[in-house]
Amino acid sequence: MLFDQVVQTSTRVAATSSRTAKVAALAETLAAATTDELEIVAHYLSGSLRQRRTGVGWRALVSRPEPASAPTLTIAAVDEAFAELAMLSGEGSQGVRQGLLAELLGAATGPEQAFLAGLVTGETRQGALEGLLLPAIAAAFSVPADAVRRAAMFAGSIPVVAVAAKAGGEPALAAITLQVGRPVLPMLASSAATIREAFERFGDAPVSVESKLDGIRIQVHRDGDDVAVYSRSLDDITARLPGVVAAVGALPARRLVLDGEALALRPDGRPMLFQDTASAGSVLRPFFFDLLHVDDLDLVDEPASVREARLAALVPPALRVERLVTADAGEAEAFWHEVLAAGHEGVVIKALDAGYAAGRRGAAWVKVKPVHTLDLVVLAVEWGSGRRRGRLSNIHLGARDPASGDFVMLGKTFKGMTDEMLAWQTERFLALETRRQGQVVFVRPEQVVEVAFDGVQRSTRYPGGMALRFARVVRYREDRTAQDADTVETVRSLAR
C-alpha cells in the first residue's frame, strides 16, 4: 500500500463532520491493508507512530526539502525509516538522523510531508482517534463492535486488535482477555459544568462522588513479587515510582490490577502542582480508586459498588481516593467544595452499577471541575491543516503587562472553534496582519478572546515563564479592547 492512501484517507476524515463517513473511510483503508501492513496503517490512521520515540522533534521539521512530484513511498518504507531513526544513538547520531529524515521527506509529496510532520509531533488533527477506529475495525472485518471494544480494552493497543480481527475474526478477539502484567486501556470520564448537571444524568440513584486528583494516572499490576506501573498512555514508568511499587508490594494479595493517581504532597499535606508532581519521582504516593483484578478474580464486569467494596477491604484509607456515596446533589456540592479547598482538581461522579468500560468516555463517569476563564489578546495566528486548511486556526494568546505596555504570550490553542468562528477569525486577523513568518500570521494586538483553561503551569517555552493548561476558546469579546484584557499578574495569582 502506498503511504499516500493513508494520507488521502486522513484528508477525507478531516474534511467531513459525518461520523458515518469518517468510519467508512477508515474501514475501507484498513480492509485494503495487507496483514503485514495493517498494524502500521492502524497506527498512522490514529495519528501515531509504531515507534514510541524516534529522536525527531518539531524543530527538525521546520525546514523541509522540495517535495516529490508524485507519491511513491510505501507504508513499509515509511515504517522502516522511522525504525531506523529510532535505533540511532551515540556520537554522530544527530547528523545521521538529519540525513535520514531529509531523505524520507524528500521522497514525500507535499501532503505526505505535512502528514509525516503530524505523526512526529502528534498533531495530525484528523479526528481519527480511538472512538472512530474501533467501529471502523468492526466494519472492515465484519466483527461486532462490542467485541472490538472489549478486546481493545484488554490488549491496550488498537492496532493489535485490528490485526486480530483480520486474522481470526470474533474468536480471535474473544481470546484477548485481561492479563496481569499487560496494561489495559484506562476508563475515562465525560464532563459536566456543575454538580447538579452531573446528577441529572444519574437520575435518583445514589452515586459515588470521588476526589479528582491532579496527579499522574497510574495502573499498577502485581504478580507475586513483580510490580509494574503504567502511565495513562500505557508507558512503563515503574523505575520512576519506587514508592508506588513498595506500597503495592505490601498489600495482602498476590495478583492485582489497580487504577489510581500518583501524587506528591507538600509538608502541609496539600498537593503539589501537577508539573512538580510529574518531576517528583521517588516521593510520589499512590491513591487508588479502582480495582480490576485481585488474585484470580477479574472484576472489570462487576458493578462499581462491588469493586469499591473489594478495594476498601484490600487498600488502607491512606492509599485510597476520598469518596462520598450519596443521592443528594447538595451533599455532593458540599463535598466538592471541601475537595477544592484541599487543593484538588474537582470530583468524579460514578454510577455504582457500572462495569469498568476501559478506553471510553461514557456516561458512567462524569467529572466536574471549576472552569477558569481569562480575557486575553490574540498576538498571532497559524494557518490550519486538514479540514481547516485555508483558514486561520491556532491562535497565540497574550496577557497584558501594564509595566511595559506590551503583551506576554501564554501559549496557543485551536480548540473550541466552530466553523463559523474559523471563517470570522480568518477575515478578522488578515485585516489585523502586520507580518508573516512561515505559517504564522502576526497581528496587531487588538482582538480580545475569552479563554477557558484548567490551570497555569511554569513554562520555559514562553517569555512570561507560564503557560495555560488545556486552553480553549469560549468566545471573542467585541465589547472589550486590548486595554481591558487580563494582566500577567492576574495569571500569576492563578498559578499561585
Side-chain angles (χ1 to χ4, degrees):
M1 177 185 288
L2 287 177
F3 182 59
D4 178 68
Q5 185 169 343
V6 169
V7 176
Q8 294 299 325
T9 300
S10 177
T11 301
R12 288 165 58 195
V13 169
T16 179
S17 59
S18 166
R19 178 182 174 84
T20 301
K22 289 177 186 286
V23 170
L26 294 168
E28 180 183 347
T29 302
L30 290 170
T34 67
T35 300
D36 291 339
E37 295 169 336
L38 182 55
E39 182 181 352
I40 307 168
V41 169
H43 269 288
Y44 292 173
L45 289 176
S46 67
S48 66
L49 295 168
R50 272 206 317 155
Q51 299 76 19
R52 300 300 292 265
R53 291 175 177 81
T54 62
V56 178
W58 66 272
R59 293 183 186 277
L61 299 163
V62 174
S63 297
R64 303 174 191 172
E66 189 70 22
S69 58
T72 58
L73 279 172
T74 63
I75 289 292
V78 173
D79 182 65
E80 289 167 6
F82 280 116
E84 192 171 357
L85 287 165
M87 289 189 294
L88 292 173
S89 63
E91 186 176 353
S93 62
Q94 194 58 34
V96 176
R97 182 176 287 110
Q98 290 174 350
L100 288 173
L101 183 62
E103 184 179 341
L104 174 62
L105 292 172
T109 63
E112 288 174 334
Q113 285 187 352
F115 191 76
L116 287 169
L119 289 176
V120 170
T121 60
E123 295 185 357
T124 53
R125 301 182 192 174
Q126 59 193 346
L129 301 177
E130 296 170 0
L132 295 174
L133 272 176
L134 294 179
I137 291 169
F141 305 114
S142 301
V143 292
D146 287 344
V148 174
R149 290 191 184 94
R150 188 171 179 84
M153 170 173 69
F154 293 134
S157 167
I158 291 175
V160 166
V161 170
V163 172
K166 180 180 177 67
E170 189 173 357
L173 296 176
I176 302 175
T177 58
L178 187 148
Q179 293 184 16
V180 177
R182 183 174 69 189
V184 304
L185 294 176
M187 187 167 177
L188 305 174
S190 57
S191 298
T194 66
I195 295 292
R196 293 189 181 276
E197 178 189 324
F199 261 64
E200 289 174 0
R201 303 183 190 182
F202 295 98
D204 298 326
V207 293
S208 178
V209 186
E210 301 179 4
S211 296
K212 187 178 189 313
L213 310 185
D214 192 15
I216 299 172
R217 182 78 177 265
I218 54 172
Q219 186 181 121
V220 186
H221 291 237
R222 177 182 171 186
D223 190 356
D225 295 330
D226 296 327
V227 177
V229 186
Y230 300 95
S231 69
R232 173 172 169 160
S233 57
L234 309 188
D235 291 316
D236 189 331
I237 56 174
T238 309
R240 292 170 46 194
L241 304 175
V244 174
V245 172
V248 174
L251 295 176
R254 296 293 295 169
R255 289 166 57 82
L256 290 169
V257 179
L258 289 153
D259 195 359
E261 297 271 344
L263 197 64
L265 301 179
R266 301 188 323 202
D268 63 1
R270 292 177 66 81
M272 291 185 179
L273 295 174
F274 172 77
Q275 63 193 119
D276 295 325
T277 286
S279 60
S282 62
V283 302
L284 294 182
R285 286 177 48 186
F287 293 88
F288 296 110
F289 52 73
D290 220 322
L291 177 64
L292 309 187
H293 181 96
V294 57
D295 291 327
D296 293 321
L297 183 63
D298 283 344
L299 299 172
V300 289
D301 294 325
E302 294 290 340
S305 57
V306 172
R307 301 198 310 274
E308 289 181 3
R310 288 191 171 272
L311 179 70
L314 176 71
V315 179
L319 297 180
R320 297 200 311 268
V321 168
E322 188 177 1
R323 63 162 50 96
L324 168 73
V325 175
T326 182
D328 188 321
E331 287 185 1
E333 281 187 339
F335 179 75
W336 183 66
H337 286 296
E338 291 174 9
V339 168
L340 295 177
H344 299 303
E345 260 197 320
V347 297
V348 181
I349 301 172
K350 300 180 178 179
L352 292 174
D353 59 353
Y356 192 91
R360 302 178 66 184
R361 291 190 188 276
W365 288 12
V366 181
K367 60 186 175 183
V368 183
K369 300 190 295 183
V371 177
H372 306 289
T373 62
L374 288 168
D375 288 333
L376 301 174
V377 174
V378 178
L379 307 178
V381 202
E382 298 175 11
W383 289 105
S385 58
R387 63 176 301 194
R388 295 190 177 191
R389 187 177 302 278
R391 296 183 175 184
L392 290 175
S393 175
N394 205 359
I395 58 175
H396 297 203
L397 304 166
R400 184 167 56 88
D401 182 359
S404 67
D406 208 343
F407 296 90
V408 178
M409 186 174 175
L410 299 172
K412 312 174 186 179
T413 187
F414 59 88
K415 296 181 179 179
M417 299 173 180
T418 63
D419 288 343
E420 293 77 10
M421 190 179 292
L422 287 166
W424 178 88
Q425 72 183 35
T426 300
E427 181 178 352
R428 168 65 171 160
F429 293 130
L430 287 177
L432 296 177
E433 179 180 356
T434 58
R435 63 186 177 90
R436 296 191 187 191
Q437 182 177 332
Q439 294 294 304
V440 181
V441 176
F442 292 88
V443 299
R444 295 195 304 274
E446 297 178 7
Q447 181 61 54
V448 177
V449 60
E450 184 180 353
V451 175
F453 59 99
D454 286 3
V456 182
Q457 64 186 25
R458 292 189 303 274
S459 173
T460 58
R461 187 171 183 179
Y462 302 114
M466 302 176 292
L468 304 182
R469 290 184 64 199
F470 305 116
R472 59 265 186 203
V473 172
V474 176
R475 57 175 172 159
Y476 282 105
R477 300 296 301 264
E478 294 304 304
D479 57 331
R480 297 204 169 188
T481 69
Q483 291 308 305
D484 299 321
D486 286 305
T487 66
V488 175
E489 186 51 43
T490 297
V491 181
R492 289 199 180 102
S493 70
L494 289 171
R496 289 193 293 267

